[in-house]
Amino acid sequence: MAKEELLLNKMKQGQVYRRSDLARYTTAVDRYLDRLVKKNEVVKVSGGLYLRPKASAFGAVPPDEQSLVKTFLKDDRFLVNSFNNYNQLGLGLTQLYGHNVVYNYKRFGEFELGGKKFFFKRVPKFPHQLSKEYLLVDMLNNLKELAEDEVSVFENLKKNKENFDTKRVLSLAKEYGRPRTKKFLDEVYSHE
């Protein structure tokens, strides 16, 4: 068995690995990873990140976003969101965006991981998971970055405010909202 096969056997299918994590198995990790990439046994998803793809009837399965970001950050404290999720809020948003946003405590900038674009934003706090109410607060926080008409979004929210849990929206706005977001939501929900 070739030495790179020994390294391959240490990698589970569908898992993303850092080069540094694999270096403990051999002193020639770069050479063996290069050979495995050339044989299509391993995929280089980004600088220093490698995937042993899981096969399906349709070919190699792309890496799970969560494990990809977790391995990239070397941390499990992050939240992946897409501006496309705002379209589900029923506020007339229709634009599509080609990247995900990762709220985290470590990295900032745009990175391509596994063929997908991720924009990493360092923020002081964020929830553990997405909810409709958090998406509303986040959408208002990011409204200037969206290719949407702000006035239409504001008017649609005023008309559809009952589709959101008022207490939860105001609580999340207080915790995660920017000053402009807090002010707007206070105005919208203070008339109840």
Side-chain angles (χ1 to χ4, degrees), residues 3-11 22 25 32-33:
K3 291 186 179 182
E4 65 263 18
E5 296 298 322
L6 295 172
L7 180 62
L8 184 65
N9 289 335
K10 298 289 186 185
M11 302 171 75
L22 298 170
Y25 300 119
Y32 298 147
L33 282 170

Side-chain angles (χ1 to χ4, degrees), residues 143-188:
L143 197 52
K144 294 247 184 244
E145 296 178 47
L146 303 179
E148 302 286 350
D149 178 40
E150 287 185 31
V151 174
S152 297
V153 172
F154 289 148
E155 291 305 314
N156 287 337
L157 176 56
K158 288 176 186 175
K159 291 176 196 170
N160 296 292
K161 66 182 183 179
E162 68 280 348
N163 293 340
F164 301 92
D165 180 324
T166 302
K167 280 186 174 180
R168 186 132 171 79
V169 167
L170 294 175
S171 171
L172 290 168
K174 185 177 180 181
E175 190 167 359
Y176 305 112
R178 293 182 180 153
R180 180 175 184 234
T181 299
K182 291 177 191 176
K183 182 179 180 203
F184 177 73
L185 289 172
D186 283 341
E187 289 171 10
V188 168

